[in-house]
Amino acid sequence: MKLYLALPLVLLALLAAASGVAAVSRGWVLPMNRRHVRSPHLYGWGQLVVACALCWQVVFGLVISDSGTRPAGTLIGGVILLIGLTAIMVSRLDRGNRKGA
């Protein structure tokens, strides 16, 4: 296992998970993202999914050395990462509650 790759990814996943738990449970978002996020709960779930995907990538990309399951595992981790990023992007969209026209 390449420790110099695994440790920063796991640390990043833990930070994303902590921020996601804060957004889901309390609706709290980091100050730099507060203006842009319209749905804090969806944003938090997206961050939790991204954290899960990063851990998945570490496990299948760096820990498991079986050549048969490694490509499938990293591909599934990439799909999970895209799902989380999509949830984060959707949480930033306007709801379209316009009163004019």
Side-chain angles (χ1 to χ4, degrees):
M1 180 170 86
K2 297 174 178 135
L3 202 56
Y4 62 91
L5 288 175
L7 284 178
L9 282 175
V10 170
L11 180 64
L12 186 66
L14 285 174
L15 290 174
S19 179
V21 167
V24 169
S25 64
R26 302 284 184 192
W28 185 83
V29 180
L30 289 169
M32 63 186 152
N33 291 333
R34 240 176 239 159
R35 274 189 332 174
H36 306 289
V37 174
R38 305 289 183 242
S39 175
H41 290 11
L42 181 61
Y43 183 78
W45 281 111
Q47 282 190 321
L48 287 173
V49 171
V50 166
C52 177
L54 286 175
C55 289
W56 187 282
Q57 291 283 357
V58 167
V59 168
F60 278 97
L62 300 175
V63 176
I64 295 180
S65 62
D66 183 20
S67 63
T69 58
R70 185 181 232 177
T74 54
L75 181 65
I76 291 170
V79 169
I80 294 171
L81 184 65
L82 286 176
I83 290 170
L85 291 175
T86 303
I88 289 172
M89 287 180 0
V90 169
S91 73
R92 293 175 151 229
L93 293 176
D94 282 334
R95 296 196 179 148
N97 295 336
R98 295 182 184 166
K99 294 188 179 197

